[in-house]
Amino acid sequence: MFSLQLRLWLHPGAQVCVVSRLKAHRLASLQNTVALPQKKTQSLLYPFSQVEPYLDRSIDRTQFQLFHPSVEDMLKAEKLFCSSPSHKIDYYISAERMDHAPVMKQPEVCFIGRSNVGKSSLIKALFSLTPEVEVRVSKTPGHTKKMNFFRVGKAFTIVDMPGYGHKAPKDFVDMVEPYLYSRKNLVRTFLLVDGSVGLQKADLIALEMCEEIRRPYVMVVTKIDKGTRGVLLSNLMHLQDAVKTHTSSCFPQPFLLSSLNFWGIYLLRCFIAHITGSITLTTPPTNSNEGATAHNL
Ligand SMILES: Nc1nc2c(ncn2[C@@H]2O[C@H](COP(=O)(O)OP(=O)(O)OP(=O)(O)O)[C@@H](O)[C@H]2O)c(=O)[nH]1
Ligand SMILES: [Mg+2]
């Protein structure tokens, strides 16, 4: 543990992160978490470890841990989320319609889900090492009204989408569907589901839409800090069942996350860095599906 910390300080680029970190949440950086007790670090880095002991023995754990990078790989990914003069992270532009969306060559990932599910909060947590990048969140559903594009240097773009369902913008479908169908550089869609309430009717419609589009997408279970563990487990099992029986383009591993506590943020940073072809993993993925990068999609 100690030697890892030492190596971190010797890591090139660490300086840049330190400056941004002064203002950021103390858990925003993986470098701070390695000093925590092992169990706490484990649940921050691999949140599935929080629910795993409560799963029935008959349940296969493999699908929950297909993407299970090393701490070194997560550190490599984290560097991408630190802004520097040669690697600028910024809010770029907002678009109300697909034909207003900027043409970009970098691989892109987008976040969709019901209004209030925590899309903007998740992006804010991803960018917490660069607090000067403003991502607006609100407890009022329907807050994000446009597609907001954030550039991560020359590596990739992250798009925050308006939510569907309650108080969704009227033009939600006209805005988001054409984007999901035709955006050329889109390498992955992240479909967020609230872990404290589970799959809702609107989520099932979104799932169906993603299946129709037939582009790779990934489920993210948000707000795992909220509600009881029993409720989370039952919602997770239901979701896994839906993914198994009703999907063919969905990555079998759901990403468990709390933007509030930073659980799962490091893992997701690493996954994004991997699928956009921005890092090479030292530990090869165990499943060919998620081994696909921006270059071979
Ligand atoms: N407990 C808890 N609350 C969260 C989490 N993520 C987001 N929230 C809260 O959920 C509310 C909605 O968050 P947003 O990130 O604005 O949700 P959104 O999906 O972007 O919503 P729209 O822009 O309206 O579509 C805010 O009050 C957040 O503080 C989480 O991981 N845990
Ligand atoms: Mg939002």
Side-chain angles (χ1 to χ4, degrees), residues 113-122 136-145 160-164 167 192 222-226 257-261:
R114 278 188 304 116
S115 43
N116 222 38
V117 73
K119 301 173 292 297
S120 304
S121 303
L122 192 165
R136 292 197 187 146
V137 308
S138 166
K139 57 175 187 266
T140 313
H143 187 74
T144 309
K145 306 251 184 280
D160 186 12
M161 290 287 186
Y164 50 77
K167 294 211 175 150
L192 275 56
T222 65
K223 306 192 186 182
I224 63 164
D225 58 278
K226 217 174 148 188
L257 208 120
S258 164
S259 304
L260 210 66
N261 298 341

Short mmCIF file of all heavy atoms in Angstrom, two decimals, residues 113-122 136-145 160-164 167 192 222-226 257-261, ligand 1:
data_model
loop_
_atom_site.label_atom_id
_atom_site.label_comp_id
_atom_site.label_asym_id
_atom_site.label_seq_id
_atom_site.Cartn_x
_atom_site.Cartn_y
_atom_site.Cartn_z
N GLY A 113 -31.01 8.70 -19.46
CA GLY A 113 -31.75 8.12 -18.33
C GLY A 113 -32.89 9.04 -17.94
O GLY A 113 -32.98 10.17 -18.44
N ARG A 114 -33.74 8.57 -17.05
CA ARG A 114 -34.88 9.37 -16.60
C ARG A 114 -34.41 10.68 -16.00
O ARG A 114 -33.29 10.76 -15.47
CB ARG A 114 -35.68 8.60 -15.54
CG ARG A 114 -36.65 7.61 -16.15
CD ARG A 114 -37.58 7.00 -15.12
NE ARG A 114 -36.86 6.38 -14.04
CZ ARG A 114 -36.91 6.79 -12.78
NH1 ARG A 114 -37.64 7.85 -12.43
NH2 ARG A 114 -36.24 6.16 -11.83
N SER A 115 -35.28 11.69 -16.04
CA SER A 115 -34.91 12.96 -15.40
C SER A 115 -34.73 12.70 -13.91
O SER A 115 -35.47 11.90 -13.31
CB SER A 115 -35.98 14.02 -15.65
OG SER A 115 -37.26 13.48 -15.49
N ASN A 116 -33.71 13.29 -13.35
CA ASN A 116 -33.40 13.16 -11.92
C ASN A 116 -32.65 11.87 -11.54
O ASN A 116 -32.40 11.63 -10.36
CB ASN A 116 -34.68 13.26 -11.07
CG ASN A 116 -34.47 14.12 -9.85
OD1 ASN A 116 -33.77 15.12 -9.92
ND2 ASN A 116 -35.04 13.73 -8.73
N VAL A 117 -32.31 11.05 -12.51
CA VAL A 117 -31.65 9.78 -12.18
C VAL A 117 -30.19 10.00 -11.73
O VAL A 117 -29.58 9.14 -11.09
CB VAL A 117 -31.73 8.79 -13.38
CG1 VAL A 117 -30.81 9.19 -14.52
CG2 VAL A 117 -31.43 7.37 -12.96
N GLY A 118 -29.64 11.17 -12.10
CA GLY A 118 -28.28 11.50 -11.66
C GLY A 118 -27.24 11.56 -12.78
O GLY A 118 -26.05 11.37 -12.52
N LYS A 119 -27.67 11.88 -14.00
CA LYS A 119 -26.73 11.94 -15.14
C LYS A 119 -25.70 13.06 -14.95
O LYS A 119 -24.49 12.84 -15.05
CB LYS A 119 -27.50 12.18 -16.46
CG LYS A 119 -28.52 11.12 -16.79
CD LYS A 119 -29.35 11.46 -17.99
CE LYS A 119 -30.30 12.63 -17.80
NZ LYS A 119 -31.35 12.43 -16.78
N SER A 120 -26.22 14.26 -14.68
CA SER A 120 -25.31 15.41 -14.55
C SER A 120 -24.41 15.24 -13.32
O SER A 120 -23.23 15.58 -13.36
CB SER A 120 -26.11 16.71 -14.46
OG SER A 120 -26.95 16.84 -15.59
N SER A 121 -24.98 14.68 -12.24
CA SER A 121 -24.17 14.47 -11.03
C SER A 121 -23.03 13.50 -11.30
O SER A 121 -21.92 13.67 -10.81
CB SER A 121 -25.03 13.90 -9.90
OG SER A 121 -26.10 14.74 -9.63
N LEU A 122 -23.33 12.48 -12.10
CA LEU A 122 -22.29 11.51 -12.44
C LEU A 122 -21.16 12.18 -13.23
O LEU A 122 -19.98 11.99 -12.93
CB LEU A 122 -22.93 10.38 -13.26
CG LEU A 122 -22.13 9.11 -13.51
CD1 LEU A 122 -23.04 8.01 -14.00
CD2 LEU A 122 -21.03 9.30 -14.50
N ARG A 136 -24.00 21.44 -14.26
CA ARG A 136 -25.10 21.84 -13.38
C ARG A 136 -26.00 20.67 -13.01
O ARG A 136 -26.46 19.94 -13.89
CB ARG A 136 -25.94 22.93 -14.06
CG ARG A 136 -25.12 24.19 -14.18
CD ARG A 136 -25.99 25.37 -14.46
NE ARG A 136 -25.14 26.51 -14.73
CZ ARG A 136 -25.41 27.46 -15.58
NH1 ARG A 136 -26.53 27.42 -16.26
NH2 ARG A 136 -24.58 28.47 -15.75
N VAL A 137 -26.25 20.53 -11.72
CA VAL A 137 -27.17 19.50 -11.26
C VAL A 137 -28.28 20.17 -10.47
O VAL A 137 -28.12 21.31 -10.01
CB VAL A 137 -26.46 18.45 -10.36
CG1 VAL A 137 -25.23 17.89 -11.03
CG2 VAL A 137 -26.06 19.02 -9.01
N SER A 138 -29.40 19.49 -10.33
CA SER A 138 -30.51 20.07 -9.57
C SER A 138 -31.41 18.98 -9.05
O SER A 138 -31.54 17.91 -9.67
CB SER A 138 -31.31 20.99 -10.51
OG SER A 138 -32.54 21.30 -9.92
N LYS A 139 -32.05 19.25 -7.91
CA LYS A 139 -33.00 18.23 -7.42
C LYS A 139 -34.34 18.32 -8.15
O LYS A 139 -35.18 17.44 -8.01
CB LYS A 139 -33.15 18.30 -5.90
CG LYS A 139 -33.59 19.62 -5.32
CD LYS A 139 -33.78 19.42 -3.81
CE LYS A 139 -34.38 20.63 -3.15
NZ LYS A 139 -33.45 21.56 -2.58
N THR A 140 -34.51 19.36 -8.96
CA THR A 140 -35.74 19.48 -9.74
C THR A 140 -35.60 18.70 -11.04
O THR A 140 -34.68 18.98 -11.83
CB THR A 140 -36.01 20.97 -10.08
OG1 THR A 140 -35.85 21.71 -8.88
CG2 THR A 140 -37.39 21.18 -10.66
N PRO A 141 -36.48 17.71 -11.30
CA PRO A 141 -36.37 16.93 -12.53
C PRO A 141 -36.51 17.82 -13.77
O PRO A 141 -37.21 18.84 -13.73
CB PRO A 141 -37.53 15.94 -12.46
CG PRO A 141 -38.04 16.00 -11.06
CD PRO A 141 -37.61 17.30 -10.47
N GLY A 142 -35.87 17.45 -14.84
CA GLY A 142 -35.97 18.19 -16.11
C GLY A 142 -35.02 19.36 -16.16
O GLY A 142 -35.22 20.30 -16.94
N HIS A 143 -33.98 19.33 -15.37
CA HIS A 143 -33.06 20.48 -15.30
C HIS A 143 -32.24 20.62 -16.59
O HIS A 143 -32.13 21.72 -17.13
CB HIS A 143 -32.14 20.33 -14.09
CG HIS A 143 -31.30 21.53 -13.85
ND1 HIS A 143 -31.82 22.69 -13.33
CD2 HIS A 143 -30.00 21.79 -14.10
CE1 HIS A 143 -30.87 23.61 -13.25
NE2 HIS A 143 -29.75 23.07 -13.72
N THR A 144 -31.63 19.54 -17.04
CA THR A 144 -30.81 19.62 -18.26
C THR A 144 -31.74 19.63 -19.47
O THR A 144 -32.52 18.70 -19.66
CB THR A 144 -29.82 18.43 -18.31
OG1 THR A 144 -29.12 18.36 -17.07
CG2 THR A 144 -28.83 18.56 -19.45
N LYS A 145 -31.66 20.71 -20.27
CA LYS A 145 -32.63 20.87 -21.36
C LYS A 145 -32.01 20.61 -22.73
O LYS A 145 -32.71 20.46 -23.72
CB LYS A 145 -33.19 22.31 -21.37
CG LYS A 145 -33.79 22.73 -20.04
CD LYS A 145 -35.30 22.83 -20.14
CE LYS A 145 -35.92 23.34 -18.87
NZ LYS A 145 -36.06 22.30 -17.83
N ASP A 160 -23.75 15.07 -21.85
CA ASP A 160 -24.81 15.01 -20.84
C ASP A 160 -26.13 15.28 -21.56
O ASP A 160 -26.29 16.29 -22.25
CB ASP A 160 -24.56 16.10 -19.78
CG ASP A 160 -25.53 16.01 -18.60
OD1 ASP A 160 -26.25 14.99 -18.49
OD2 ASP A 160 -25.55 16.95 -17.79
N MET A 161 -27.07 14.36 -21.43
CA MET A 161 -28.34 14.46 -22.15
C MET A 161 -29.46 14.93 -21.22
O MET A 161 -29.41 14.68 -20.01
CB MET A 161 -28.73 13.08 -22.68
CG MET A 161 -27.86 12.58 -23.78
SD MET A 161 -28.27 13.51 -25.26
CE MET A 161 -27.25 12.65 -26.44
N PRO A 162 -30.50 15.53 -21.81
CA PRO A 162 -31.69 15.79 -20.99
C PRO A 162 -32.31 14.45 -20.60
O PRO A 162 -32.08 13.44 -21.27
CB PRO A 162 -32.60 16.58 -21.92
CG PRO A 162 -31.93 16.68 -23.22
CD PRO A 162 -30.65 15.92 -23.20
N GLY A 163 -33.11 14.45 -19.55
CA GLY A 163 -33.72 13.19 -19.11
C GLY A 163 -35.05 12.94 -19.80
O GLY A 163 -35.68 13.85 -20.32
N TYR A 164 -35.48 11.68 -19.77
CA TYR A 164 -36.82 11.35 -20.28
C TYR A 164 -37.75 11.10 -19.09
O TYR A 164 -37.30 11.04 -17.94
CB TYR A 164 -36.79 10.14 -21.22
CG TYR A 164 -36.05 8.94 -20.69
CD1 TYR A 164 -36.64 8.10 -19.74
CD2 TYR A 164 -34.77 8.62 -21.13
CE1 TYR A 164 -35.96 6.99 -19.26
CE2 TYR A 164 -34.09 7.52 -20.65
CZ TYR A 164 -34.69 6.71 -19.71
OH TYR A 164 -34.02 5.62 -19.22
N LYS A 167 -41.27 15.54 -16.50
CA LYS A 167 -40.74 16.88 -16.82
C LYS A 167 -39.62 16.86 -17.87
O LYS A 167 -38.72 17.72 -17.85
CB LYS A 167 -40.25 17.58 -15.55
CG LYS A 167 -41.37 17.89 -14.58
CD LYS A 167 -41.06 19.13 -13.80
CE LYS A 167 -42.22 19.52 -12.93
NZ LYS A 167 -41.86 20.20 -11.73
N LEU A 192 -28.68 5.11 -17.52
CA LEU A 192 -28.70 5.16 -16.06
C LEU A 192 -30.06 4.74 -15.50
O LEU A 192 -31.10 5.17 -16.01
CB LEU A 192 -28.39 6.59 -15.58
CG LEU A 192 -26.91 6.98 -15.46
CD1 LEU A 192 -26.16 6.77 -16.76
CD2 LEU A 192 -26.77 8.41 -15.00
N THR A 222 -27.45 3.98 -10.46
CA THR A 222 -27.06 5.17 -9.70
C THR A 222 -27.65 5.15 -8.28
O THR A 222 -28.50 4.31 -7.96
CB THR A 222 -27.54 6.46 -10.39
OG1 THR A 222 -28.97 6.47 -10.40
CG2 THR A 222 -27.01 6.57 -11.81
N LYS A 223 -27.19 6.07 -7.47
CA LYS A 223 -27.71 6.31 -6.12
C LYS A 223 -27.69 5.06 -5.25
O LYS A 223 -28.63 4.80 -4.50
CB LYS A 223 -29.14 6.90 -6.19
CG LYS A 223 -29.23 8.16 -7.07
CD LYS A 223 -30.53 8.89 -6.90
CE LYS A 223 -30.66 10.05 -7.89
NZ LYS A 223 -31.85 10.84 -7.79
N ILE A 224 -26.62 4.27 -5.36
CA ILE A 224 -26.59 3.02 -4.57
C ILE A 224 -26.39 3.30 -3.08
O ILE A 224 -26.46 2.40 -2.26
CB ILE A 224 -25.55 2.01 -5.10
CG1 ILE A 224 -24.12 2.56 -5.00
CG2 ILE A 224 -25.86 1.53 -6.52
CD1 ILE A 224 -23.06 1.48 -5.13
N ASP A 225 -26.14 4.57 -2.75
CA ASP A 225 -26.02 4.95 -1.34
C ASP A 225 -27.38 5.14 -0.68
O ASP A 225 -27.50 5.23 0.53
CB ASP A 225 -25.23 6.27 -1.23
CG ASP A 225 -25.91 7.38 -2.01
OD1 ASP A 225 -25.71 7.45 -3.24
OD2 ASP A 225 -26.67 8.16 -1.44
N LYS A 226 -28.43 5.20 -1.54
CA LYS A 226 -29.76 5.56 -1.06
C LYS A 226 -30.59 4.28 -0.84
O LYS A 226 -30.45 3.34 -1.62
CB LYS A 226 -30.43 6.41 -2.16
CG LYS A 226 -31.28 7.54 -1.67
CD LYS A 226 -31.73 8.37 -2.85
CE LYS A 226 -33.10 8.96 -2.58
NZ LYS A 226 -33.64 9.60 -3.77
N LEU A 257 -22.98 2.66 -8.83
CA LEU A 257 -22.39 3.97 -8.64
C LEU A 257 -23.09 4.86 -7.62
O LEU A 257 -24.31 4.82 -7.50
CB LEU A 257 -22.49 4.66 -10.02
CG LEU A 257 -21.44 5.68 -10.29
CD1 LEU A 257 -20.64 5.31 -11.50
CD2 LEU A 257 -22.08 7.02 -10.50
N SER A 258 -22.32 5.62 -6.90
CA SER A 258 -22.88 6.72 -6.11
C SER A 258 -22.03 7.95 -6.37
O SER A 258 -20.86 7.99 -6.00
CB SER A 258 -22.85 6.39 -4.61
OG SER A 258 -23.04 7.60 -3.88
N SER A 259 -22.63 8.95 -7.00
CA SER A 259 -21.89 10.18 -7.29
C SER A 259 -21.64 10.95 -6.00
O SER A 259 -20.69 11.71 -5.89
CB SER A 259 -22.68 11.06 -8.25
OG SER A 259 -22.97 10.34 -9.41
N LEU A 260 -22.52 10.70 -5.04
CA LEU A 260 -22.40 11.39 -3.75
C LEU A 260 -21.16 10.93 -3.00
O LEU A 260 -20.43 11.72 -2.42
CB LEU A 260 -23.65 11.04 -2.93
CG LEU A 260 -24.16 12.06 -1.94
CD1 LEU A 260 -24.66 13.29 -2.67
CD2 LEU A 260 -25.29 11.45 -1.12
N ASN A 261 -20.91 9.62 -3.01
CA ASN A 261 -19.80 9.04 -2.24
C ASN A 261 -18.61 8.64 -3.10
O ASN A 261 -17.67 8.05 -2.60
CB ASN A 261 -20.28 7.80 -1.48
CG ASN A 261 -21.35 8.12 -0.50
OD1 ASN A 261 -21.50 9.28 -0.12
ND2 ASN A 261 -22.12 7.14 -0.08
N1 LIG B 1 -28.21 10.08 -2.83
C1 LIG B 1 -27.80 10.37 -4.05
N2 LIG B 1 -28.34 11.40 -4.72
C2 LIG B 1 -27.90 11.67 -5.97
C3 LIG B 1 -26.89 10.88 -6.60
N3 LIG B 1 -26.71 11.37 -7.85
C4 LIG B 1 -27.53 12.40 -7.98
N4 LIG B 1 -28.26 12.59 -6.87
C5 LIG B 1 -29.27 13.65 -6.64
O1 LIG B 1 -30.31 13.49 -7.59
C6 LIG B 1 -30.81 14.75 -8.01
C7 LIG B 1 -30.79 14.86 -9.52
O2 LIG B 1 -29.46 14.87 -9.98
P1 LIG B 1 -29.04 15.32 -11.45
O3 LIG B 1 -27.66 14.86 -11.63
O4 LIG B 1 -29.33 16.75 -11.69
O5 LIG B 1 -30.03 14.42 -12.31
P2 LIG B 1 -30.19 14.38 -13.92
O6 LIG B 1 -30.37 12.96 -14.30
O7 LIG B 1 -29.10 15.12 -14.57
O8 LIG B 1 -31.58 15.14 -14.10
P3 LIG B 1 -32.16 15.96 -15.37
O9 LIG B 1 -31.10 16.91 -15.84
O10 LIG B 1 -33.32 16.67 -14.81
O11 LIG B 1 -32.54 14.97 -16.40
C8 LIG B 1 -29.93 15.80 -7.31
O12 LIG B 1 -30.62 16.25 -6.16
C9 LIG B 1 -28.70 15.03 -6.92
O13 LIG B 1 -28.04 15.55 -5.78
C10 LIG B 1 -26.33 9.80 -5.86
O14 LIG B 1 -25.46 9.05 -6.31
N5 LIG B 1 -26.82 9.60 -4.58
#
